[in-house]
């Protein structure tokens, strides 16, 4: 069975978790157990009780997440595990832990 086939049978909490974690390729055991109970068909799991998502499942969840607005990634933009953008730290405070500026300027040490 696929996630697409089972989507409407999953409760809103499970669907929300999947939409908020679109980069997940292996579902945690607790989520796998919950999905197995909710699904009408058999969802295959590994020896540890975790569901390994197929490429089709992964693409389906990403499409749903994009449609729901939980991720916005241009198809040619690659991100590691669908992470949120890192904060801009280029304007570090003048405190004693401030990093060197990107242009090679002094950071107050030395």
């Amino acid at each position: 069975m696929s996630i697409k086939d089972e989507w409407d049978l999953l409760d809103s909490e499970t669907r929300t978790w999947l939409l908020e974690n679109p980069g997940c390729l292996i579902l945690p055991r607790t989520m796998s157990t919950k999905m197995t109970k909710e699904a009408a068909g058999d969802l295959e799991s590994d020896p540890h009780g975790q569901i390994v998502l197929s490429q089709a499942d992964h693409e389906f969840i990403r499409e749903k997440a994009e449609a729901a607005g939980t991720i916005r990634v241009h198809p040619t933009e690659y991100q590691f595990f669908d992470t949120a953008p890192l904060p801009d730290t280029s304007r570090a405070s003048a405190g004693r832990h401030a990093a060197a500026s990107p242009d090679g300027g002094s950071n107050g040490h030395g």
Side-chain angles (χ1 to χ4, degrees):
M1 298 300 317
S2 71
I3 298 296
K4 183 177 183 177
D5 296 336
E6 301 294 329
W7 187 257
D8 292 330
L9 299 174
L10 302 176
D11 70 12
S12 63
E13 182 180 302
T14 302
R15 287 190 302 243
T16 299
W17 189 92
L18 290 168
L19 294 176
E20 291 176 351
N21 297 280
C24 190
L25 298 176
I26 301 174
L27 301 181
R29 196 173 345 190
T30 53
M31 184 58 59
S32 296
T33 301
K34 184 174 180 171
M35 286 183 62
T36 301
K37 289 178 183 176
E38 294 173 1
D42 289 330
L43 295 173
E44 292 184 35
S45 58
D46 67 9
H48 305 288
Q50 297 171 307
I51 295 172
V52 179
L53 298 177
S54 69
Q55 183 65 31
D57 289 336
H58 189 248
E59 289 172 7
F60 173 77
I61 293 168
R62 284 186 57 87
E63 289 172 8
K64 286 287 195 181
E66 288 174 10
T70 57
I71 60 170
R72 291 177 188 90
V73 178
H74 188 274
T76 60
E77 180 181 339
Y78 298 101
Q79 291 186 332
F80 186 69
F81 292 115
D82 293 328
T83 58
L86 296 173
D88 180 14
T89 58
S90 62
R91 292 186 276 166
S93 66
R96 64 182 210 181
H97 295 291
S101 66
D103 62 359
S106 172
N107 64 2
H109 299 292

